[in-house]
Amino acid sequence: MKVLVSGGAGFIGSHIVDSLITDGHTVHIIDDLSGGFMRNLNPKATFHKEDIRSEEISEIWKEHRFEVLIHCGAQMDVRRSVADPSFDADVNVIGFLNLMEAGRHYGLKKVVFSSTGGAIYGEPEYVPQDEKHPTRPMSPYGITKLTAEHYLAFYKDTHGIDSVILRYANVYGPRQNAHGEAGVVAIFTERMLANTPCFINGDGGQTRDYVYVGDVVQANMKALDYKGSNIFNVGTGIETSVLDLFLKIKKVMGSDMSQKHADAKPGEQQRSVVGTEKIENELGWERQFDLDTGLTKTVNWFKDQEIQER
């Protein structure tokens, strides 16, 4: 298939591109490199350095007639969304619609959409949070992702474009940007390597569901083959506190760094964990990496990067 990956130079998107190339698809990438890196680009993919809000998107689509959009391009920093909700909406809603409008005119048949689990569901009424859990986003980021999901239903009903929405838990792994995307695994790992203090917000009891990027890629490949439209969680169904995560990374690193605590962030969600029974039953997806294995692979990648940069 001819596939366009938005955000294909970023953390998750670049891993998806690699898998698509391995599977023999023709892949194009749109990325403005605001959060991604040239080093992440697969040389077998065609790269277009463009903002997803650009007027050039329509011309690119007109020329290449992509059948599938895998949409990873986004403003994905929750704290930035709170500080500047207009910018968040401009990228995550207007930019997304710019892609969809170009696509519907020039051959788009299917969208695989990178959404969010924790940020859409909000504080849980029950755990794990399945796809039927009420959606009560607590941040502009979560609101814009949910808005895009509603737009995808519109494009299905009005234009016949199928969509598979993947609601990710907290994704971590190699290539994660500790500076731009605020991934706590990347932040703790990079700080321990630099022997810089790691600060845990509040008491560290807040929990998240940490899913390795390789399992997220597998979910995208399964979604590509899925017939029709649907919504699936992608996670582990396991809660891990920030404090326990710190201790696990410290053990993998062999670090003697002591924990330090900062003030709790006002309004920070306290629990998040998503159920994966639906994606397992309907897509045949199965998690391959437990947290210890994923953290080891991630830490080793960061260590290799540090050696290369010396």
Side-chain angles (χ1 to χ4, degrees):
M1 282 185 277
K2 203 166 191 179
V3 183
L4 175 64
V5 181
S6 67
F11 163 43
I12 298 172
S14 64
H15 285 284
I16 292 170
V17 168
D18 290 347
S19 187
L20 289 167
I21 294 291
T22 298
D23 287 354
H25 297 287
T26 300
V27 182
H28 288 238
I29 294 167
I30 287 178
D31 200 305
D32 66 356
L33 301 180
S34 60
F37 299 94
M38 290 293 293
R39 66 174 181 263
N40 291 342
L41 291 171
N42 190 307
K44 293 183 179 179
T46 302
F47 176 54
H48 307 272
K49 187 177 184 296
E50 292 289 347
D51 189 307
I52 60 173
R53 298 167 291 179
S54 167
E55 294 179 0
E56 295 299 317
I57 296 298
S58 183
E59 292 302 313
I60 293 169
W61 214 301
K62 182 178 179 180
E63 179 180 355
H64 297 287
R65 308 275 172 161
F66 308 110
E67 302 166 79
V68 177
L69 168 65
I70 297 182
H71 184 51
C72 301
Q75 190 303 109
M76 57 188 303
D77 188 325
V78 172
R79 291 176 188 168
R80 182 171 185 182
S81 82
V82 173
D84 191 355
S86 295
F87 175 73
D88 187 78
D90 195 32
V91 176
N92 291 352
V93 178
I94 302 303
F96 166 70
L97 289 176
N98 193 38
L99 288 167
M100 293 300 299
E101 284 296 287
R104 78 173 178 88
H105 284 107
Y106 301 115
L108 177 62
K109 296 181 176 64
K110 181 172 189 171
V111 180
V112 180
F113 181 70
S114 294
S115 191
T116 172
I120 272 184
Y121 296 128
E123 289 292 351
E125 288 188 0
Y126 56 86
V127 294
Q129 295 159 291
D130 59 20
E131 292 82 355
K132 295 179 181 178
H133 189 282
T135 51
R136 288 192 295 265
M138 298 173 62
S139 66
Y141 170 71
I143 291 167
T144 57
K145 284 293 187 180
L146 185 57
T147 299
E149 290 190 10
H150 289 310
Y151 273 114
L152 285 169
F154 159 76
Y155 279 99
K156 169 63 175 177
D157 293 341
T158 306
H159 301 293
I161 299 171
D162 283 331
S163 60
V164 178
I165 294 164
L166 300 176
R167 291 177 174 170
Y168 302 150
N170 284 53
V171 188
Y172 71 96
R175 301 181 190 164
Q176 188 165 30
N177 180 1
H179 305 286
E181 296 171 358
V184 67
V185 172
I187 291 170
F188 283 172
T189 301
E190 200 168 82
R191 283 180 173 270
M192 286 185 196
L193 279 171
N195 201 28
T196 304
C198 296
F199 289 96
I200 298 167
N201 295 330
D203 63 5
Q206 59 271 39
T207 65
R208 297 294 183 266
D209 181 342
Y210 296 100
V211 60
Y212 185 68
V213 67
D215 288 325
V216 169
V217 171
Q218 183 204 160
N220 276 266
M221 297 304 103
K222 297 279 189 182
L224 196 62
D225 294 333
Y226 182 81
K227 305 301 181 186
S229 297
N230 217 325
I231 299 173
F232 299 100
N233 287 339
V234 184
T236 71
I238 300 169
E239 287 182 89
T240 302
S241 73
V242 175
L243 179 56
D244 284 344
L245 181 73
F246 170 82
L247 295 173
K248 282 179 177 291
I249 296 173
K250 180 178 173 179
K251 181 179 179 181
V252 173
M253 292 281 295
S255 171
D256 59 0
M257 181 174 288
S258 60
Q259 66 198 55
K260 295 182 181 295
H261 292 263
D263 291 340
K265 295 295 181 182
E268 182 178 9
Q269 190 168 327
Q270 293 304 300
R271 296 182 73 190
S272 177
V273 55
V274 301
T276 59
E277 184 177 353
K278 183 178 177 183
I279 192 171
E280 291 168 9
N281 291 339
E282 297 189 30
L283 286 190
W285 176 88
E286 185 177 357
R287 184 166 59 95
Q288 302 295 316
F289 300 91
D290 61 24
L291 185 55
D292 290 336
T293 303
L295 289 177
T296 300
K297 292 173 75 67
T298 303
V299 165
N300 288 340
W301 182 85
F302 273 93
K303 286 180 176 178
D304 289 344
Q305 289 297 113
E306 184 188 47
I307 292 169
Q308 291 174 24
E309 291 172 4
R310 284 176 185 171

